[in-house]
Amino acid sequence: MESLKERESGIKIAHCADIHIGMKPNKLSRLSDTRRAEIKVSFFSMLDIIKEKKVELFLIAGDLFHDLNVNNSEVNDVKNALGELNCQVAISPGNHDPFIVESPYNSIWPENVYIFKKNFISFFEMPEFKVRIWGSAFTPLNNSGARILSEDREKLKHDDFINILMVHGTYPAGGTGDDLYNPIYNEDIRESGMNYIALGHIHKGTSVQRSGKTFYAYPGCLDGRSFKETGEKGFYLGTVSKTVCRLDFIKVSKRIYCEINIDISESENSSEIVKRITEKIERLYGESYKDNIYKIILFGKIKENFFVDTSYIKRRLEDTVFYAEIFDETEIIYETKGVGIKAIFIKNMNEYIENCEDEESKKIAQKALKLGVISFSKEVVFNEDKESGN
């Protein structure tokens, strides 16, 4: 445990990233405007916590805004709210909200807000706390990454300031296309001389980790925006000193995106499926299950004459939950006896499926088989751009 002296010499910080104010989740159709507003609400809920906890340094590690087309009223709302905080705010513009001439950052901001404006790493200081904050901004120029000059590292070893670095980029860099967004290598962190590195850009949060003497973390995005961003979302809050980093993850998003697999084998009707889904999500998420956004994947083996009515299931669920998408990936137990056209079709398709060379081809063929069988008894309407529903 840290000593009393270590706690007293540290600084109380909050660290968030990837808020994307102004973003409108298109795939939620009629609910897009609601989700856009809720992303903003999550940001202001975080500011209320920062006030309550008497944070001394608030770090926003990139992509505060979703793009440069964010409207002025939203920018002014953010400025006013940050100006009301009784702490230093530091912003490192990201790839979505870079510092350029048209940037909302190229305007007058409150005195307590410091914005990094260069594509190379620089710093400012909070002498009263003996804290030095390092950072850079995305700009039209190529970014230089998270590396600090060796002479700076040597200097850092001999002073008594707490050193904190803000970086919007990809760690660990590993040769993928995403590395273009400020690749960060392990040696950058290990040899940086920093006490804490506040990372942004990766929307999946990490625990607080350590390389050498340097602590670092991604808080992840503040509020999920799609089914690629499942689970709880929030920010880090706690204390950083020369030797100690104690940060707690604080959830602020009202809703979470959830992907759930439901086995509907032996189901007799769609109402029973709705009941199975509701029981499982209530068991998983407790009382808050009604607030969440669900991707429900139905699997299992069902009888040939049982039609999975995904549209009905979706509507029934949305009487209870905020939003749901239903994906039917069930396998049908087909009756292959007989010599009719339907039996011949099933036999030929099953042979084709067995000979598929990859899983993607097999899935497409299985879907074709399912739609083909249904077409023998009813009209099929299929939209290849929308997998949920038949």
Side-chain angles (χ1 to χ4, degrees), residues 252-313:
V252 291
S253 57
K254 178 181 180 180
R255 313 183 196 285
I256 60 175
Y257 285 80
C258 311
E259 182 172 320
I260 309 293
N261 294 284
I262 305 285
D263 186 351
I264 63 168
S265 299
E266 301 179 4
S267 293
E268 296 294 332
N269 54 65
S270 294
S271 294
E272 183 182 333
I273 295 173
V274 172
K275 182 180 179 182
R276 286 195 187 191
I277 294 171
T278 304
E279 287 176 349
K280 181 166 184 177
I281 60 179
E282 187 173 6
R283 186 168 65 251
L284 289 173
Y285 300 105
E287 294 181 2
S288 65
Y289 85 94
K290 296 179 180 180
D291 294 327
N292 296 334
I293 302 167
Y294 295 96
K295 178 180 180 180
I296 307 294
I297 301 171
L298 306 177
F299 73 96
K301 295 187 177 183
I302 60 175
K303 295 178 181 178
E304 179 184 326
N305 59 357
F306 178 37
F307 170 59
V308 180
D309 190 345
T310 55
S311 295
Y312 169 80
I313 295 168

Coordinates of all heavy atoms in Angstrom, one line a residue, residues 252-313:
V252 N -20.5 5.4 -16.7 CA -21.5 6.5 -16.8 C -22.6 6.3 -17.8 O -23.6 7.0 -17.8 CB -20.7 7.8 -17.2 CG1 -19.9 8.3 -16.0 CG2 -19.9 7.7 -18.4
S253 N -22.4 5.4 -18.8 CA -23.4 5.2 -19.8 C -24.7 4.6 -19.3 O -24.6 3.7 -18.5 CB -22.8 4.4 -21.0 OG -22.4 3.1 -20.5
K254 N -25.8 5.1 -19.7 CA -27.1 4.6 -19.2 C -27.3 3.2 -19.8 O -27.9 2.4 -19.1 CB -28.2 5.6 -19.6 CG -29.6 5.1 -19.1 CD -30.7 6.0 -19.5 CE -32.0 5.5 -19.1 NZ -33.1 6.4 -19.5
R255 N -26.9 3.0 -21.0 CA -27.2 1.8 -21.7 C -25.9 1.1 -22.1 O -24.9 1.8 -22.3 CB -28.0 2.0 -23.0 CG -29.2 2.9 -22.8 CD -30.0 3.0 -24.1 NE -30.9 4.2 -24.0 CZ -32.0 4.2 -23.2 NH1 -32.4 3.1 -22.6 NH2 -32.8 5.2 -23.2
I256 N -26.0 -0.2 -22.4 CA -24.8 -0.9 -23.0 C -25.3 -1.7 -24.1 O -26.5 -2.1 -24.2 CB -24.1 -1.8 -22.0 CG1 -25.0 -2.8 -21.4 CG2 -23.5 -0.9 -20.8 CD1 -24.3 -3.8 -20.5
Y257 N -24.4 -1.9 -25.1 CA -24.7 -2.8 -26.2 C -24.4 -4.2 -25.8 O -23.3 -4.4 -25.2 CB -23.8 -2.4 -27.4 CG -24.3 -1.1 -28.2 CD1 -24.0 0.1 -27.7 CD2 -25.1 -1.2 -29.3 CE1 -24.5 1.3 -28.3 CE2 -25.5 -0.1 -30.0 CZ -25.2 1.1 -29.5 OH -25.6 2.3 -30.1
C258 N -25.3 -5.1 -26.1 CA -25.1 -6.5 -25.7 C -25.3 -7.4 -26.8 O -26.3 -7.3 -27.6 CB -26.1 -6.8 -24.6 SG -26.2 -5.7 -23.2
E259 N -24.5 -8.4 -27.0 CA -24.7 -9.5 -28.0 C -24.9 -10.8 -27.2 O -24.1 -11.3 -26.5 CB -23.5 -9.6 -28.9 CG -23.6 -10.6 -30.0 CD -22.5 -10.6 -31.0 OE1 -22.0 -9.5 -31.4 OE2 -22.0 -11.7 -31.4
I260 N -26.1 -11.4 -27.5 CA -26.6 -12.5 -26.7 C -26.9 -13.7 -27.7 O -27.6 -13.5 -28.7 CB -27.8 -12.2 -25.9 CG1 -27.6 -11.0 -25.1 CG2 -28.2 -13.4 -25.0 CD1 -26.6 -11.1 -24.0
N261 N -26.4 -14.9 -27.4 CA -26.8 -16.1 -28.2 C -27.8 -16.9 -27.4 O -27.6 -17.2 -26.2 CB -25.5 -17.0 -28.4 CG -24.5 -16.3 -29.3 OD1 -24.7 -16.2 -30.5 ND2 -23.4 -15.8 -28.7
I262 N -28.9 -17.2 -28.1 CA -30.0 -17.9 -27.4 C -30.3 -19.2 -28.2 O -30.6 -19.2 -29.4 CB -31.3 -17.1 -27.4 CG1 -31.1 -15.7 -26.8 CG2 -32.4 -17.8 -26.7 CD1 -31.0 -15.7 -25.3
D263 N -30.2 -20.3 -27.5 CA -30.5 -21.6 -28.1 C -32.1 -21.8 -28.0 O -32.7 -21.9 -27.0 CB -29.8 -22.8 -27.3 CG -30.0 -24.1 -27.9 OD1 -30.8 -24.3 -28.9 OD2 -29.4 -25.1 -27.5
I264 N -32.7 -21.9 -29.2 CA -34.1 -22.0 -29.3 C -34.6 -23.4 -29.7 O -35.7 -23.6 -30.2 CB -34.8 -21.0 -30.2 CG1 -34.3 -21.1 -31.6 CG2 -34.5 -19.6 -29.6 CD1 -35.2 -20.2 -32.6
S265 N -33.7 -24.4 -29.6 CA -34.0 -25.8 -30.0 C -35.2 -26.2 -29.2 O -35.4 -25.9 -28.0 CB -32.8 -26.7 -29.6 OG -31.7 -26.4 -30.3
E266 N -36.1 -26.9 -29.9 CA -37.3 -27.5 -29.3 C -38.4 -26.4 -29.0 O -39.4 -26.8 -28.3 CB -37.0 -28.3 -28.1 CG -36.1 -29.5 -28.3 CD -35.8 -30.3 -27.1 OE1 -36.3 -30.0 -26.0 OE2 -34.9 -31.2 -27.2
S267 N -38.2 -25.2 -29.4 CA -39.2 -24.2 -29.2 C -40.4 -24.5 -30.0 O -40.3 -25.0 -31.2 CB -38.7 -22.8 -29.5 OG -37.6 -22.4 -28.6
E268 N -41.6 -24.2 -29.5 CA -42.8 -24.6 -30.2 C -43.4 -23.4 -30.9 O -44.2 -23.5 -31.9 CB -43.8 -25.1 -29.2 CG -43.4 -26.4 -28.6 CD -43.3 -27.6 -29.6 OE1 -44.0 -27.5 -30.6 OE2 -42.5 -28.5 -29.4
N269 N -43.1 -22.1 -30.5 CA -43.7 -20.9 -31.1 C -42.8 -19.7 -30.7 O -41.9 -19.7 -29.9 CB -45.1 -20.7 -30.6 CG -45.2 -20.7 -29.1 OD1 -44.7 -19.8 -28.4 ND2 -45.9 -21.7 -28.5
S270 N -43.1 -18.6 -31.4 CA -42.3 -17.4 -31.2 C -42.5 -16.8 -29.9 O -41.6 -16.1 -29.3 CB -42.7 -16.4 -32.3 OG -42.3 -16.8 -33.6
S271 N -43.7 -16.9 -29.3 CA -43.9 -16.3 -27.9 C -43.0 -17.0 -26.9 O -42.5 -16.4 -26.0 CB -45.4 -16.5 -27.5 OG -46.2 -15.7 -28.3
E272 N -42.8 -18.3 -27.1 CA -41.9 -19.0 -26.2 C -40.4 -18.5 -26.4 O -39.7 -18.4 -25.4 CB -41.9 -20.5 -26.5 CG -41.1 -21.4 -25.6 CD -41.1 -22.9 -26.0 OE1 -42.1 -23.3 -26.6 OE2 -40.1 -23.6 -25.7
I273 N -40.1 -18.2 -27.6 CA -38.7 -17.7 -27.9 C -38.6 -16.3 -27.2 O -37.5 -16.0 -26.5 CB -38.5 -17.5 -29.4 CG1 -38.4 -18.9 -30.0 CG2 -37.2 -16.8 -29.6 CD1 -38.4 -18.8 -31.5
V274 N -39.6 -15.5 -27.2 CA -39.5 -14.2 -26.5 C -39.3 -14.4 -25.1 O -38.5 -13.7 -24.4 CB -40.8 -13.4 -26.8 CG1 -40.8 -12.1 -25.9 CG2 -40.9 -13.0 -28.3
K275 N -40.0 -15.4 -24.5 CA -39.9 -15.6 -23.1 C -38.5 -16.1 -22.7 O -37.9 -15.7 -21.7 CB -40.9 -16.7 -22.7 CG -40.9 -17.0 -21.2 CD -41.9 -18.1 -20.8 CE -41.9 -18.5 -19.3 NZ -42.8 -19.6 -19.0
R276 N -37.9 -17.0 -23.6 CA -36.5 -17.5 -23.3 C -35.5 -16.3 -23.3 O -34.6 -16.2 -22.5 CB -36.1 -18.5 -24.4 CG -36.7 -19.8 -24.2 CD -36.0 -20.8 -25.1 NE -36.7 -22.1 -25.1 CZ -36.1 -23.2 -25.7 NH1 -34.9 -23.2 -26.2 NH2 -36.8 -24.4 -25.6
I277 N -35.7 -15.4 -24.3 CA -34.8 -14.3 -24.4 C -34.9 -13.4 -23.2 O -33.9 -13.0 -22.6 CB -35.1 -13.5 -25.7 CG1 -34.8 -14.3 -27.0 CG2 -34.3 -12.2 -25.7 CD1 -35.3 -13.7 -28.3
T278 N -36.1 -13.0 -22.9 CA -36.4 -12.1 -21.7 C -35.8 -12.7 -20.4 O -35.2 -12.0 -19.6 CB -37.9 -11.8 -21.6 OG1 -38.4 -11.3 -22.8 CG2 -38.1 -10.8 -20.5
E279 N -36.0 -14.0 -20.2 CA -35.5 -14.6 -19.0 C -34.0 -14.5 -18.9 O -33.4 -14.3 -17.9 CB -36.0 -16.0 -18.9 CG -37.5 -16.1 -18.6 CD -38.0 -17.6 -18.6 OE1 -37.2 -18.5 -19.0 OE2 -39.1 -17.8 -18.1
K280 N -33.3 -14.8 -20.1 CA -31.9 -14.8 -20.1 C -31.3 -13.4 -19.9 O -30.4 -13.2 -19.1 CB -31.3 -15.4 -21.4 CG -29.8 -15.4 -21.4 CD -29.3 -16.3 -22.5 CE -27.8 -16.4 -22.5 NZ -27.2 -17.3 -23.5
I281 N -31.8 -12.4 -20.6 CA -31.2 -11.0 -20.4 C -31.5 -10.4 -19.0 O -30.7 -9.7 -18.5 CB -31.7 -10.1 -21.6 CG1 -33.2 -9.9 -21.6 CG2 -31.2 -10.6 -22.9 CD1 -33.7 -8.9 -22.7
E282 N -32.7 -10.8 -18.5 CA -33.0 -10.3 -17.1 C -32.0 -11.0 -16.1 O -31.5 -10.4 -15.2 CB -34.4 -10.6 -16.7 CG -34.8 -10.0 -15.4 CD -36.3 -10.2 -15.1 OE1 -37.0 -10.8 -15.9 OE2 -36.8 -9.6 -14.1
R283 N -31.7 -12.3 -16.4 CA -30.8 -13.0 -15.5 C -29.4 -12.4 -15.6 O -28.6 -12.3 -14.6 CB -30.7 -14.5 -15.9 CG -29.9 -15.4 -15.0 CD -30.2 -16.8 -15.2 NE -29.7 -17.3 -16.5 CZ -30.6 -17.6 -17.5 NH1 -31.9 -17.5 -17.3 NH2 -30.1 -18.0 -18.7
L284 N -29.0 -12.0 -16.8 CA -27.6 -11.5 -17.0 C -27.4 -10.0 -16.5 O -26.4 -9.7 -16.0 CB -27.3 -11.5 -18.5 CG -27.0 -12.9 -19.2 CD1 -26.9 -12.8 -20.7 CD2 -25.8 -13.5 -18.6
Y285 N -28.5 -9.2 -16.7 CA -28.3 -7.8 -16.5 C -29.1 -7.2 -15.4 O -29.1 -6.0 -15.1 CB -28.5 -7.0 -17.8 CG -27.6 -7.4 -18.9 CD1 -28.0 -8.2 -19.9 CD2 -26.3 -7.1 -18.8 CE1 -27.2 -8.7 -20.9 CE2 -25.4 -7.5 -19.8 CZ -25.8 -8.3 -20.9 OH -25.0 -8.7 -21.9
G286 N -29.9 -8.0 -14.7 CA -30.7 -7.6 -13.6 C -31.8 -6.5 -14.0 O -32.3 -6.5 -15.1
E287 N -32.0 -5.6 -13.1 CA -33.1 -4.6 -13.3 C -32.8 -3.7 -14.5 O -33.7 -3.2 -15.1 CB -33.3 -3.8 -12.0 CG -33.9 -4.6 -10.9 CD -34.2 -3.7 -9.7 OE1 -33.9 -2.5 -9.8 OE2 -34.6 -4.3 -8.6
S288 N -31.5 -3.5 -14.8 CA -31.2 -2.6 -15.9 C -31.3 -3.2 -17.3 O -31.1 -2.5 -18.3 CB -29.7 -2.1 -15.7 OG -28.8 -3.2 -15.8
Y289 N -31.8 -4.5 -17.3 CA -31.8 -5.1 -18.6 C -32.8 -4.4 -19.6 O -32.5 -4.4 -20.8 CB -32.3 -6.6 -18.5 CG -33.8 -6.8 -18.4 CD1 -34.5 -7.1 -19.6 CD2 -34.5 -6.7 -17.2 CE1 -35.9 -7.3 -19.5 CE2 -35.9 -6.9 -17.2 CZ -36.6 -7.2 -18.3 OH -37.9 -7.4 -18.3
K290 N -33.7 -3.7 -19.1 CA -34.7 -3.0 -20.0 C -34.1 -1.8 -20.7 O -34.6 -1.3 -21.7 CB -35.9 -2.5 -19.1 CG -36.7 -3.6 -18.5 CD -37.9 -3.0 -17.7 CE -38.7 -4.2 -17.1 NZ -39.8 -3.7 -16.3
D291 N -33.0 -1.3 -20.1 CA -32.3 -0.1 -20.7 C -31.4 -0.4 -21.9 O -31.0 0.5 -22.6 CB -31.5 0.7 -19.7 CG -32.4 1.3 -18.6 OD1 -33.5 1.7 -18.9 OD2 -31.9 1.3 -17.4
N292 N -31.0 -1.6 -22.1 CA -29.9 -2.0 -22.9 C -30.3 -2.1 -24.4 O -31.5 -2.2 -24.8 CB -29.2 -3.2 -22.5 CG -28.6 -3.0 -21.1 OD1 -28.2 -1.9 -20.7 ND2 -28.4 -4.1 -20.3
I293 N -29.3 -2.3 -25.3 CA -29.5 -2.4 -26.7 C -28.9 -3.8 -27.1 O -27.8 -4.1 -26.8 CB -28.7 -1.3 -27.4 CG1 -29.2 0.1 -27.0 CG2 -28.8 -1.4 -29.0 CD1 -28.3 1.2 -27.4
Y294 N -29.8 -4.6 -27.7 CA -29.5 -6.0 -27.8 C -29.3 -6.5 -29.3 O -30.1 -6.1 -30.1 CB -30.6 -6.9 -27.2 CG -30.6 -6.7 -25.7 CD1 -31.6 -5.8 -25.1 CD2 -29.8 -7.4 -24.8 CE1 -31.6 -5.7 -23.7 CE2 -29.8 -7.3 -23.5 CZ -30.8 -6.4 -22.9 OH -30.8 -6.2 -21.6
K295 N -28.3 -7.3 -29.5 CA -28.2 -8.1 -30.7 C -28.4 -9.5 -30.3 O -27.6 -10.1 -29.6 CB -26.8 -7.9 -31.3 CG -26.6 -8.8 -32.6 CD -25.2 -8.5 -33.2 CE -25.0 -9.4 -34.4 NZ -23.6 -9.2 -35.0
I296 N -29.6 -10.1 -30.7 CA -29.9 -11.4 -30.3 C -29.7 -12.4 -31.4 O -30.3 -12.2 -32.5 CB -31.4 -11.5 -29.8 CG1 -31.7 -10.4 -28.8 CG2 -31.8 -12.9 -29.3 CD1 -31.0 -10.6 -27.4
I297 N -28.9 -13.4 -31.2 CA -28.6 -14.4 -32.2 C -29.2 -15.7 -31.8 O -28.9 -16.3 -30.8 CB -27.0 -14.6 -32.4 CG1 -26.4 -13.2 -32.8 CG2 -26.7 -15.6 -33.4 CD1 -24.9 -13.3 -32.7
L298 N -30.2 -16.1 -32.6 CA -30.9 -17.3 -32.3 C -30.2 -18.5 -33.0 O -29.9 -18.4 -34.2 CB -32.3 -17.2 -32.9 CG -33.2 -16.0 -32.4 CD1 -34.5 -16.0 -33.0 CD2 -33.3 -16.0 -30.8
F299 N -29.9 -19.6 -32.2 CA -29.3 -20.7 -32.8 C -30.0 -22.0 -32.3 O -30.9 -21.9 -31.4 CB -27.8 -20.8 -32.5 CG -27.5 -21.1 -31.1 CD1 -27.1 -22.4 -30.7 CD2 -27.5 -20.1 -30.1 CE1 -26.8 -22.7 -29.4 CE2 -27.1 -20.4 -28.8 CZ -26.8 -21.7 -28.5
G300 N -29.6 -23.1 -32.8 CA -30.2 -24.4 -32.4 C -30.9 -25.1 -33.6 O -30.9 -24.5 -34.7
K301 N -31.4 -26.2 -33.4 CA -32.1 -27.0 -34.4 C -33.6 -26.9 -34.2 O -34.1 -27.2 -33.1 CB -31.6 -28.4 -34.4 CG -30.1 -28.5 -34.8 CD -29.7 -30.0 -35.0 CE -28.2 -30.0 -35.4 NZ -27.7 -31.4 -35.7
I302 N -34.3 -26.5 -35.3 CA -35.8 -26.4 -35.2 C -36.4 -27.3 -36.3 O -35.8 -27.7 -37.3 CB -36.2 -25.0 -35.4 CG1 -35.8 -24.4 -36.7 CG2 -35.7 -24.1 -34.2 CD1 -36.3 -23.0 -37.0
K303 N -37.7 -27.6 -36.1 CA -38.4 -28.4 -37.1 C -38.7 -27.6 -38.4 O -38.8 -26.4 -38.4 CB -39.7 -28.9 -36.5 CG -39.6 -29.8 -35.2 CD -40.9 -30.1 -34.6 CE -40.7 -31.0 -33.4 NZ -42.0 -31.4 -32.8
E304 N -38.8 -28.4 -39.4 CA -38.9 -27.8 -40.8 C -40.1 -26.9 -40.9 O -40.1 -25.9 -41.5 CB -39.0 -28.9 -41.8 CG -39.2 -28.5 -43.2 CD -39.3 -29.7 -44.1 OE1 -38.7 -30.7 -43.9 OE2 -40.1 -29.5 -45.1
N305 N -41.2 -27.3 -40.2 CA -42.4 -26.5 -40.3 C -42.6 -25.4 -39.3 O -43.6 -24.8 -39.2 CB -43.7 -27.4 -40.2 CG -43.7 -28.2 -38.9 OD1 -42.8 -28.0 -38.1 ND2 -44.7 -29.0 -38.7
F306 N -41.5 -25.1 -38.6 CA -41.5 -24.0 -37.6 C -40.8 -22.8 -38.2 O -39.6 -22.8 -38.4 CB -40.8 -24.4 -36.3 CG -40.8 -23.3 -35.3 CD1 -41.8 -22.5 -35.1 CD2 -39.7 -23.2 -34.4 CE1 -41.8 -21.5 -34.1 CE2 -39.6 -22.2 -33.5 CZ -40.7 -21.4 -33.3
F307 N -41.6 -21.7 -38.4 CA -41.1 -20.5 -39.0 C -40.7 -19.5 -37.8 O -41.5 -19.2 -37.0 CB -42.2 -19.8 -39.9 CG -41.8 -18.4 -40.3 CD1 -40.7 -18.1 -41.0 CD2 -42.7 -17.4 -40.0 CE1 -40.4 -16.9 -41.4 CE2 -42.4 -16.1 -40.3 CZ -41.2 -15.8 -41.1
V308 N -39.4 -19.1 -37.8 CA -39.0 -18.2 -36.8 C -39.3 -16.8 -37.2 O -38.7 -16.2 -38.2 CB -37.5 -18.3 -36.6 CG1 -37.0 -17.3 -35.5 CG2 -37.1 -19.7 -36.1
D309 N -40.3 -16.2 -36.6 CA -40.8 -14.9 -37.0 C -40.0 -13.8 -36.3 O -40.4 -13.3 -35.2 CB -42.3 -14.7 -36.7 CG -43.0 -13.5 -37.3 OD1 -42.2 -12.6 -37.7 OD2 -44.2 -13.5 -37.4
T310 N -38.9 -13.4 -36.9 CA -38.0 -12.4 -36.3 C -38.6 -11.1 -36.1 O -38.3 -10.4 -35.1 CB -36.7 -12.3 -37.0 OG1 -37.0 -12.0 -38.4 CG2 -35.9 -13.6 -37.0
S311 N -39.5 -10.7 -37.0 CA -40.1 -9.3 -36.9 C -41.1 -9.3 -35.7 O -41.1 -8.3 -34.9 CB -40.9 -9.0 -38.2 OG -40.1 -8.9 -39.3
Y312 N -41.8 -10.4 -35.5 CA -42.7 -10.5 -34.3 C -41.9 -10.5 -33.0 O -42.2 -9.8 -32.1 CB -43.5 -11.7 -34.4 CG -44.3 -12.1 -33.1 CD1 -45.5 -11.4 -32.8 CD2 -43.8 -13.0 -32.3 CE1 -46.2 -11.7 -31.7 CE2 -44.5 -13.3 -31.1 CZ -45.7 -12.7 -30.8 OH -46.3 -12.9 -29.6
I313 N -40.8 -11.2 -33.0 CA -39.9 -11.3 -31.8 C -39.4 -10.0 -31.5 O -39.3 -9.5 -30.3 CB -38.8 -12.4 -32.0 CG1 -39.4 -13.8 -32.2 CG2 -37.8 -12.3 -30.9 CD1 -38.5 -14.8 -32.6

